[in-house]
Amino acid sequence: MSNYQTNKPGDDNNRTSDHRNREEFEETPTWAAVVTVLGYAILSALGWLRDFLRHIGLEEKRTAHDPNPKDFVPLYQSYECFYTRNLYTRIRDVFNQPIASVAGAKVHVMERVSDDYNWTFKFSGKKIPSINLGSYNYLGFAENQGPCSEQAIKSIETYAVTTCSTRHELGHQRYVKELESLMAEYLNVEDCIAFGMGFATNALNIPTLAGKGDLILSDKLNHVSLILGARLSGATIRTFNHNDMKDLEAHLRKAIISGQPRTCRPWKKILIIVEGVYSMEGSLCKLPEIIELKKKYKAYLYVDEAHSIGAIGSRGRGVVDYWKVDPNDIEIHMGTFTKSFGSAGGYIAGKKNIIDYIRVSSHSACYSSSMSAPIVQQIISALSIIMGRDGTNDGQKRIQQLACNVRYFRRQLVDMGFIVYGNNNSPVVPVMLFMPAKIAAVNREMLKRDCAVVTVGFPATLLTESRVRFCISAGHTKEMLDHALKAMDEVGHLVSLRYSKKNPHHRWVELDHADYDKEYTS
Amino acid sequence: MTLNDHPTFLRHKLSYTYKNCHWKTMLSYIRRFFKFIHWLYLQYLLNTALYMLEPWERLLFSTLLFAILSTALYSALVFLPHHVRSMIQFYS
């Protein structure tokens, strides 16, 4: 029942099966899958009943309706609307919750009340101060005080807020040049180019790199921006199973042997697109094996390090640093500044000739606004702190704090008996819920205990695999993590989330805390 | 809800000293029992996805489920002994 390739030691002699890099995707228990599907069946049946009542007029219609007469092609796709009306709206209060403070390690969530079962909301005026376990604030740079924000404010005085121009016209400013050279040094590559939006970096630059006559091999669980970019490029797209190297090799061999679909000509190039850390599963890509395959079959590699740059690796340089591979082996390094650097934007880095080509022919460089000064200054300050250029070792401390936090949090959750997906070192911690009602229950109960979490269901995940996703930050102290773990323990008992068959179930009071403290302070 | 309020029907039992009054311990046991029933009701609501539904929908589904289960139970109680007896007769 599991779609994922579990890493077992002894699989191959490679370092990816080392016990420290273990990735666990425990299988869904059968009874949980059956109960989940039954739950969705009950919700669908009652949804049909409500739709029927709305149709005959016993209940008022509260969604937008199609103004066209019956013979016209329908304006809205029917299952998505059914899902939104009858399943999503019932628990809408746990999604898109407005906040009232900076989303650092702690956040103020605004409380909303609803009289008519989540069709309309009213603010009660109360702000709930809670521990923020949902922001991608891996190194804790999302703060409104401190050296980064002071320098960003000063940069507004020097450079003003925006250039009102694209990169090719008047947007090529001194601060962007500084950012690009600093980033290239950070990643140990030749050159780098920065863009204003992380999603657009993928979606608008993959068409520059690949086109008709090329083959793109992308992982099944890649992010929407990569899929969109691949589709826009016009190349042929084939997907391989998540982190499955045998499947990737089979696809490569088939592609090289058979060539393009109708003409059987050889492919102009083959581009493999993977992500560093997958944000819904918390798994890392197996970079050494992919590089070996790429060299054997002469393909190109594009690694999207949106969640892993700054957060993974002993010096925070991403998956390249974590697996200790040569950065020159990867053709395109891509990443975003939104997650670990507390800013906005994306970058692409690699050899100078590729980056020069992208500078000239990217849609983003020609048509979208250049990055504005305070945003770039925030990244430059964060980078200097991480690299140690500001004279303190604050950056290295943050990276180590994050690694400790992640190990501590994950180990306790696993020992309590929850099903936790992903690699032991990834700061994204998904805990499985499976049933739709638990999505709402866990979110509300955690908020009552002052923890703001993100719970996700269909369509961001598979239908039967809803989860609660914790994002650990270097800004979390041990007390905050303990509070969150205690809350999770209580909620896990209340909502019965302990599904694991491999690990025995424990309550928080039964765990030996001296053992964990040693691991935390090491 | 603090940790101590949860029903501890699985593991450690709190030890009460003999000095405590008997009706106070009785009361706490009754409270724990009601909390356990509430927990069971919450599991029923969560596993059947009734937690997300409005009260009248919960009533409708629960009534339907109760009707089906009670009919099945009644039929079993009335017809099963006769069926089992005739099966034994047929095979012996």
Side-chain angles (χ1 to χ4, degrees):
Chain A
M1 206 158 294
S2 149
N3 296 331
Y4 309 106
Q5 193 78 350
T6 320
N7 223 338
K8 288 185 273 296
D11 254 348
D12 45 12
N13 290 330
N14 218 323
R15 49 195 150 138
T16 53
S17 51
D18 187 7
H19 74 97
R20 280 166 305 148
N21 302 323
R22 281 198 65 146
E23 294 198 346
E24 281 294 327
F25 295 106
E26 192 174 325
E27 263 197 47
T28 311
T30 321
W31 66 267
V34 169
V35 172
T36 313
V37 174
L38 276 177
Y40 274 109
I42 296 172
L43 288 170
S44 304
L46 278 157
W48 283 329
L49 175 68
R50 295 293 290 269
D51 273 351
F52 175 68
L53 291 178
R54 284 185 201 116
H55 181 72
I56 61 175
L58 271 181
E59 206 184 316
E60 55 164 314
K61 293 195 178 128
R62 309 189 74 140
T63 49
H65 26 269
D66 193 345
N68 295 330
K70 273 217 188 82
D71 305 333
F72 281 58
V73 173
L75 208 52
Y76 307 114
Q77 239 189 8
S78 67
Y79 184 66
E80 270 180 31
C81 295
F82 176 82
Y83 180 82
T84 313
R85 266 198 309 271
N86 298 310
L87 276 78
Y88 179 77
T89 311
R90 292 189 199 274
I91 51 174
R92 204 158 70 107
D93 62 314
V94 307
F95 303 121
N96 300 329
Q97 299 188 39
I99 60 175
S101 76
V102 66
K106 293 206 164 154
V107 71
H108 290 254
V109 179
M110 297 187 71
E111 197 187 25
R112 301 186 284 184
V113 289
S114 173
D115 299 322
D116 49 359
Y117 300 104
N118 294 345
W119 287 98
T120 57
F121 288 113
K122 279 198 286 279
F123 289 115
S124 72
K126 189 165 152 226
K127 299 197 172 96
I128 309 172
S130 42
I131 300 176
N132 186 3
L133 289 163
S135 289
Y136 303 129
N137 180 19
Y138 299 132
L139 289 178
F141 281 113
E143 41 197 24
N144 54 359
Q145 280 147 5
C148 292
S149 49
E150 282 163 23
Q151 286 170 20
I153 295 172
K154 257 195 278 201
S155 78
I156 300 183
E157 289 161 16
T158 325
Y159 292 114
V161 175
T162 172
T163 58
C164 302
S165 177
T166 67
R167 196 66 192 275
H168 281 174
E169 293 172 9
L170 292 174
H172 189 71
Q173 295 277 335
R174 192 168 25 173
Y175 49 82
V176 184
K177 240 172 111 176
E178 192 188 331
L179 169 67
E180 290 176 357
S181 60
L182 202 57
M183 202 65 204
E185 204 188 314
Y186 181 73
L187 295 170
N188 204 8
V189 288
E190 284 179 24
D191 199 3
C192 169
I193 175 173
F195 300 99
M197 185 176 160
F199 187 102
T201 309
N202 273 328
L204 299 180
N205 288 308
I206 297 182
T208 322
L209 298 165
K212 206 147 174 271
D214 296 337
L215 174 65
I216 292 184
L217 287 171
S218 89
D219 195 296
K220 265 214 168 82
L221 300 176
N222 268 342
H223 191 252
V224 173
S225 55
L226 294 164
I227 301 176
L228 189 60
R231 284 190 194 156
L232 278 175
S233 68
T236 312
I237 309 173
R238 301 217 175 120
T239 56
F240 62 92
N241 294 332
H242 178 60
N243 266 353
D244 189 351
M245 296 301 113
K246 295 200 176 62
D247 199 24
L248 176 59
E249 184 162 10
H251 270 100
L252 277 165
R253 289 177 81 94
K254 201 166 81 155
I256 294 180
I257 293 171
S258 342
Q260 299 191 24
R262 276 176 301 116
T263 55
C264 291
R265 286 203 202 124
W267 294 102
K268 283 203 272 181
K269 61 173 165 292
I270 302 182
L271 185 63
I272 306 176
I273 301 185
V274 287
E275 283 190 43
V277 167
Y278 291 88
S279 62
M280 272 302 153
E281 279 73 35
S283 54
L284 262 65
C285 68
K286 296 183 192 165
L287 213 46
E289 295 177 30
I290 299 183
I291 290 184
E292 213 181 283
L293 277 176
K294 164 196 108 86
K295 282 187 182 158
K296 183 170 165 190
Y297 294 101
K298 298 200 177 54
Y300 299 119
L301 185 57
Y302 181 113
V303 177
D304 176 349
E305 292 200 54
H307 285 270
S308 54
I309 190 73
I312 304 271
S314 54
R315 290 184 310 152
R317 315 273 161 130
V319 275
V320 171
D321 183 30
Y322 179 82
W323 291 113
K324 309 256 188 309
V325 295
D326 183 11
N328 292 324
D329 282 339
I330 301 173
E331 274 71 38
I332 316 271
H333 305 247
M334 178 266 167
T336 60
F337 299 120
T338 329
K339 278 93 187 179
S340 303
F341 302 107
S343 185
Y347 67 87
I348 290 191
K351 292 232 156 46
K352 192 161 192 315
N353 48 6
I354 303 181
I355 303 297
D356 282 343
Y357 176 69
I358 295 181
R359 273 188 217 280
V360 166
S361 55
S362 162
H363 305 200
S364 193
C366 184
Y367 293 110
S368 64
S369 259
S370 62
M371 292 174 84
S372 81
I375 292 179
V376 173
Q377 188 58 43
Q378 158 81 18
I379 309 170
I380 294 178
S381 323
L383 265 178
S384 342
I385 292 180
I386 296 175
M387 288 164 76
R389 293 273 167 94
D390 62 335
T392 65
N393 65 343
D394 191 28
Q396 201 56 30
K397 269 204 290 207
R398 280 177 196 252
I399 296 171
Q400 278 163 3
Q401 177 76 13
L402 176 66
C404 278
N405 282 355
V406 165
R407 274 200 310 264
Y408 181 72
F409 198 76
R410 266 183 178 269
R411 186 147 160 245
Q412 302 232 40
L413 279 180
V414 168
D415 284 345
M416 283 203 259
F418 297 107
I419 294 187
V420 179
Y421 274 11
N423 193 300
N424 284 336
N425 296 311
S426 86
V428 173
V429 186
V431 173
M432 300 308 285
L433 301 175
F434 301 118
M435 284 141 216
K438 297 192 180 182
I439 301 175
V442 165
N443 202 306
R444 289 175 194 152
E445 293 296 324
M446 288 295 273
L447 199 57
K448 272 190 217 158
R449 291 164 176 78
D450 296 336
C451 294
V453 297
V454 168
T455 46
V456 279
F458 184 80
T461 63
L462 295 175
L463 194 70
T464 54
E465 291 188 4
S466 27
R467 56 201 77 176
V468 51
R469 186 184 63 178
F470 297 102
C471 294
I472 310 294
S473 155
H476 289 138
T477 61
K478 184 167 183 288
E479 288 75 33
M480 290 190 212
L481 289 182
D482 281 340
H483 182 99
L485 283 163
K486 265 189 233 152
M488 193 60 197
D489 170 58
E490 285 175 27
V491 171
H493 178 80
L494 198 62
V495 172
S496 72
L497 293 179
R498 289 179 159 87
Y499 294 108
S500 175
K501 286 194 201 140
K502 288 192 192 160
N503 308 314
H505 302 173
H506 292 301
R507 297 299 306 263
W508 170 259
V509 288
E510 297 163 5
L511 298 174
D512 180 14
H513 293 290
D515 200 19
Y516 296 110
D517 289 346
K518 249 192 305 175
E519 184 175 305
Y520 184 80
T521 48
S522 68
Chain B
M1 266 199 242
T2 64
L3 194 60
N4 292 328
D5 289 348
H6 281 295
T8 54
F9 54 93
L10 273 181
R11 296 185 199 263
H12 59 276
K13 286 189 178 286
L14 300 166
S15 59
Y16 287 84
T17 64
Y18 205 67
K19 282 195 227 142
N20 272 342
C21 310
H22 287 284
W23 57 87
K24 268 200 194 150
T25 60
M26 276 281 276
L27 212 58
S28 75
Y29 276 123
I30 292 177
R31 210 183 311 145
R32 277 191 359 219
F33 177 72
F34 278 123
K35 282 217 161 65
F36 175 61
I37 299 294
H38 181 73
W39 183 85
L40 271 183
Y41 176 62
L42 193 61
Q43 298 312 302
Y44 163 69
L45 287 182
L46 284 171
N47 285 326
T48 55
L50 291 184
Y51 181 89
M52 296 163 50
L53 299 177
E54 299 175 21
W56 65 269
E57 290 166 331
R58 283 186 195 170
L59 198 62
L60 181 68
F61 179 78
S62 307
T63 316
L64 222 65
L65 189 68
F66 179 71
I68 293 175
L69 282 178
S70 59
T71 316
L73 195 67
Y74 177 75
S75 324
L77 281 175
V78 168
F79 292 113
L80 219 48
H82 177 71
H83 280 320
V84 168
R85 237 176 272 135
S86 15
M87 252 191 352
I88 291 177
Q89 262 186 355
F90 183 73
Y91 281 118
S92 68

